[in-house]
Amino acid sequence: SSGINAEYIGFVKAMNALKGMKLCYKDRESERAWTSNIKTDFDKTKHLAETIIKQRKGERERIVKEERDKEKQENNKKRLEEMQKNEHLKLMAQEDREREEKKMAKSLVASQRRMAREEKRKQRLFARWD
């Protein structure tokens, strides 16, 4: 941009220097001369003016920053959702473990009762034999 800017400044200076001047053409053979007024007419929209160039650059940077911010926000949202999902999965796994432990505890109690009943039966059976 600075190379273009320096060229533009040089161009503006040249156009300003030519403003209001006349161009003269001399024919070598006939020694006649013609003149014409020089009219400078360029960059009417001032799209090459430094302030406009800075404005466009600022606008570009703002848009890029907005896109970067939006991307960061989306990444953060995804990360948060992933964390929540993982937390939910951990809770489900914990609940599954607790359910399994309760089942095993119930099964153990039932097994102990069964063994106790069997032991009582054996004792009754042995008591009859005595």
Side-chain angles (χ1 to χ4, degrees):
S1 160
S2 63
I4 292 172
N5 216 12
E7 287 176 19
Y8 174 71
I9 290 169
F11 180 72
V12 169
K13 286 180 181 176
M15 291 299 109
N16 286 338
L18 289 173
K19 199 176 264 185
M21 303 204 62
K22 289 188 173 203
L23 183 65
C24 179
Y25 173 74
K26 273 175 114 177
D27 190 0
R28 291 181 188 186
E29 278 129 48
S30 68
E31 298 202 10
R32 289 181 64 196
W34 293 270
T35 61
S36 176
N37 292 329
I38 295 176
K39 181 180 177 188
T40 57
D41 184 21
F42 71 100
D43 196 17
K44 287 182 176 179
T45 60
K46 301 290 184 209
H47 72 282
L48 293 175
E50 197 166 338
T51 54
I52 302 295
I53 290 172
K54 282 182 184 176
Q55 253 181 358
R56 284 196 304 260
K57 184 180 179 194
E59 181 71 13
R60 240 188 333 271
E61 288 171 354
R62 184 187 63 77
I63 290 169
V64 167
K65 184 185 181 304
E66 283 175 2
E67 287 175 0
R68 235 183 277 125
D69 290 348
K70 185 179 176 187
E71 201 173 296
K72 274 184 189 176
Q73 201 173 16
E74 286 174 2
N75 285 342
N76 288 343
K77 185 179 175 187
K78 282 180 188 175
R79 209 175 300 122
L80 182 64
E81 287 172 355
E82 190 67 31
M83 286 168 61
Q84 288 172 340
K85 182 181 171 188
N86 287 340
E87 195 60 36
H88 181 70
L89 290 174
K90 283 180 188 176
L91 278 172
M92 285 175 60
Q94 180 67 28
E95 289 170 359
D96 286 349
R97 276 195 297 277
E98 288 172 2
R99 239 182 271 119
E100 194 61 36
E101 286 173 6
K102 281 181 185 176
K103 242 191 213 179
M104 299 214 11
K106 233 181 185 180
S107 174
L108 182 64
V109 167
S111 173
Q112 288 172 340
R113 282 184 187 154
R114 190 171 41 255
M115 286 172 67
R117 279 195 310 268
E118 286 175 14
E119 191 60 37
K120 266 188 178 179
R121 278 188 205 132
K122 280 182 188 176
Q123 284 177 359
R124 273 193 234 136
L125 207 73
F126 286 129
R128 283 187 193 167
W129 289 100
D130 285 339

